[in-house]
Amino acid sequence: MMLAIGALFNLARPLPHADASIVAMTSQVNSVRLTWPAQGYAAIGAKGYGVLETHGSQAQRPMASISKIVTVLAVLEKHPFKSAKSSPMLTMTAADVALFNKYYGMGGSYAKVEVGEKISLYQVLQAILLPSANNMADSAAIWSFGSMEKYHAYANQMLSRMGLKQTIVATDASGFAPDSKSTPSELVRLGELAMSNPIIAQIVVQPSATIPVHGVIYSANSRLGFNGIIGIKTGLTDEAGGCFLFAANHEVKGKKIMLIGAVMGEPTLRAALADSEPLLNSAKPHFGAKTPIEAGEVFATITTPWQEAAEVVAQKDVSLIAWNGKPITPNIELHKINGSKPAGATVGAALVSSGNHTTSTPLVLKEAITGPSWQWRVKRIN
């Protein structure tokens, strides 16, 4: 009687889960050789991929006018708009004229202003990003936040929120003072954020523009348009040396990659600009289309407690654009199995990522798994 009850109990019990033995995955990493600046410090990355390679010290150092990217990001976060036509308007005051006189007297870059001048915020940003007008950067920060101190508090909190822990702004909003600092690798990330903003991306690619009072202004980025370069910002002070944060489009197998690089601490701005292109051109070939997962590739073996086994394979090829110097290791997700499954049944997924680009394929059973016999179910002890 007890044996019969035990047998019926075993028959009614849920089946135990199968074991999964996952195949160890390795990813080939190709060596990457880049043409780095002979002097200075640098980093290269790409939008959506982050920092890929660095050169030299990544310590904090003055970033000169590249700090204006922080100014513009903060102002646009505070006063967002979608187009030049929908931009807020500013009225220049005596304080703005005083800022012009200050930077004019110091030999810094500037844009002329007059008391009572009406100028759109879009045009102010053009003056900041193209000829690198120091006075306009300070004017925009004070107009937006009420004071330079309030701008610094907001901007540094914004940078921290963005994960840029080594980038700080201080003293001014223009970067003319040496207290605004960053690292080459964080500038690459800053460039990603800047080029993700449509207003900034639209302005930095412009070779020139026309604004009230001053008239025609020209981009300080003399490499604009060469080798796909579409921005972003130059910088030069005695303390910072020559600095260049640049972005360039590159196409791989019909897909557009935006490379972003930073050069800091060069002896001159000319050197920073000149060194950007060999670095850029040496980086381009290291992006390629890769197929880290092929259809039919075995990723695991499922073994049931009743000693039935089936291989788990990729349903389809998985391809993506990747950087040669970074490994691509699939991430395996398997479902729990405690019963019969036909061949081809989806039992999980394999995901691969390069930067923030992720793609996947279902994992399926190569062979069917049938349920256990009634004899096994009656006799099982687990």
Side-chain angles (χ1 to χ4, degrees), residues 17 26 45 48 76 80 92 116 119 169 173 222 254 271 278 290 303 315 343:
H17 294 299
T26 59
L76 286 174
M92 294 291 101
I119 183 170
V169 292
S222 63
K290 300 182 184 296
T303 304
Q315 188 181 67

Side-chain angles (χ1 to χ4, degrees), residues 60-64 67-68 70-71 102-103 138 141 148-157 159 166-182:
Q60 271 187 338
R61 52 183 42 86
M63 59 177 163
S67 64
K68 292 183 175 77
V70 179
T71 308
K102 168 190 169 183
Y103 283 110
D138 284 5
M148 190 61 68
E149 293 74 21
K150 289 181 180 179
Y151 160 68
H152 290 150
Y154 185 96
N156 286 314
Q157 186 276 333
L159 289 166
Q166 298 299 310
T167 303
I168 59 169
V169 292
T171 304
D172 55 31
S174 65
F176 193 83
D179 307 304
S180 293
K181 299 178 180 181
S182 188

Side-chain angles (χ1 to χ4, degrees), residues 309-339:
E311 290 183 327
V312 176
V313 300
Q315 188 181 67
K316 62 180 181 180
D317 289 350
V318 171
S319 299
L320 75 173
I321 306 300
W323 177 254
N324 283 337
K326 298 290 184 182
I328 305 175
T329 303
N331 181 38
I332 309 305
E333 298 176 354
L334 290 178
H335 306 154
K336 291 182 178 180
I337 297 174
N338 68 341

Side-chain angles (χ1 to χ4, degrees), residues 77-277:
E77 193 172 270
K78 186 76 170 177
H79 302 280
F81 59 91
K82 293 184 177 180
S83 68
K85 290 183 178 179
S86 62
S87 168
M89 296 297 296
L90 286 73
T91 301
M92 294 291 101
T93 67
D96 297 307
V97 174
L99 285 170
F100 161 72
N101 290 329
K102 168 190 169 183
Y103 283 110
Y104 181 81
M106 295 168 65
S109 53
Y110 60 85
K112 296 176 184 176
V113 296
E114 294 178 351
V115 174
E117 171 191 346
K118 303 291 185 181
I119 183 170
S120 71
L121 180 56
Y122 184 87
Q123 291 170 320
V124 169
L125 301 185
Q126 286 178 310
I128 295 170
L129 294 171
L130 300 184
S132 197
N134 293 311
N135 61 308
M136 287 300 204
D138 284 5
S139 287
I142 295 169
W143 170 82
S144 186
F145 296 95
S147 71
M148 190 61 68
E149 293 74 21
K150 289 181 180 179
Y151 160 68
H152 290 150
Y154 185 96
N156 286 314
Q157 186 276 333
M158 177 190 76
L159 289 166
S160 179
R161 173 167 32 92
M162 291 173 170
L164 302 177
K165 306 296 185 182
Q166 298 299 310
T167 303
I168 59 169
V169 292
T171 304
D172 55 31
S174 65
F176 193 83
D179 307 304
S180 293
K181 299 178 180 181
S182 188
T183 69
S185 54
E186 285 211 349
L187 288 187
V188 168
R189 178 60 185 141
L190 184 67
E192 279 192 88
L193 294 166
M195 296 307 287
S196 297
N197 185 292
I199 296 297
I200 296 176
Q202 183 185 103
I203 292 174
V204 295
V205 76
Q206 298 169 1
S208 64
T210 301
I211 63 173
V213 179
H214 191 100
V216 180
I217 53 176
Y218 298 94
S219 174
N221 181 2
S222 63
R223 307 319 299 155
L224 200 61
F226 291 91
N227 288 322
I229 292 178
I230 53 173
I232 306 174
K233 191 72 191 71
T234 61
L236 174 67
T237 63
D238 292 341
E239 298 87 356
C243 303
F244 187 31
L245 175 61
F246 59 91
N249 284 330
H250 174 54
E251 192 169 291
V252 180
K253 298 292 185 180
K255 294 186 177 181
K256 188 178 289 186
I257 302 292
M258 185 186 293
L259 286 157
I260 297 174
V263 178
M264 300 181 77
E266 290 270 34
T268 64
L269 177 57
R270 183 187 294 271
L273 290 163
D275 285 343
S276 66
E277 289 186 72

